Amino acid sequence: MSDSTRDLYTVEFRIAGADLVPDDITHEISLTPRHTRCRGETRGPSGTFEPGIWSFSGIGEEATYVREWEKLEDGLLNLLPHLLARRDVISTYVKKYDVFWWCAHFQSSFDGGPTFSPSVLRALADLGASLSIANYLSSEEE
């Protein structure tokens, strides 16, 4: 199967944990997060957030919004160089926190999906982070 031009993807690299302090991660990893939240922060009227989260979606302007990609691999390739350069510090997080790629797949039909080259699979494995793909069915009219 191959990526369909009707499909869109978003990509974030996330670190989550009960005792995670987002400002510490930002300082140690030297990357600007797109989103952070601390454990116990208010989550509307229904409660609080568990756990704390630090997420990265790009450098510069990309850090402030979620970019959509026609191919999931392109989104991963955009972030991988920044993260592979920090592999040593990320490996310490893998031992302590839940470290994962959070990817959203907005699809207009039930066929197709992402494909990955061997080199991207190797790079993903080198970081030691899980890969999570959430699928959402988008209407054709959007």
Side-chain angles (χ1 to χ4, degrees):
M1 289 186 197
S2 64
D3 287 316
S4 167
T5 57
R6 297 175 296 174
D7 294 356
L8 292 174
Y9 299 90
T10 61
V11 178
E12 286 188 12
F13 182 79
R14 293 183 176 182
I15 303 169
D19 64 344
L20 182 135
V21 178
D23 288 344
D24 291 349
I25 302 294
T26 301
H27 175 73
E28 293 165 1
I29 205 165
S30 299
L31 290 171
T32 301
R34 179 189 166 287
H35 175 76
T36 63
R37 70 174 184 235
C38 294
R39 178 181 184 196
E41 280 185 20
T42 303
R43 182 182 190 168
S46 63
T48 58
F49 283 111
E50 300 288 333
I53 288 197
W54 182 94
S55 70
F56 173 72
S57 64
I59 295 290
E61 289 182 22
E62 291 178 13
T64 60
Y65 67 94
V66 175
R67 181 171 177 183
E68 293 179 338
W69 303 91
E70 290 185 9
K71 293 184 177 185
L72 180 52
E73 185 164 308
D74 290 344
L76 294 167
L77 285 170
N78 184 332
L79 302 185
L80 271 166
H82 308 293
L83 298 164
L84 288 171
R86 294 155 174 87
R87 184 179 345 191
D88 290 344
V89 70
I90 290 171
S91 70
T92 65
Y93 302 144
V94 169
K95 296 173 186 170
K96 186 175 180 181
Y97 301 119
D98 186 17
V99 179
F100 59 101
W101 293 92
W102 187 86
C103 307
H105 174 203
F106 300 94
Q107 59 196 82
S108 56
S109 66
F110 288 108
D111 62 344
T115 58
F116 303 101
S117 66
S119 61
V120 165
L121 290 172
R122 196 172 301 112
L124 291 173
D126 284 348
L127 277 178
S130 301
L131 175 66
S132 175
I133 303 173
N135 294 296
Y136 302 95
L137 185 60
S138 301
S139 96
E140 292 283 336
E141 293 136 19
E142 290 182 25

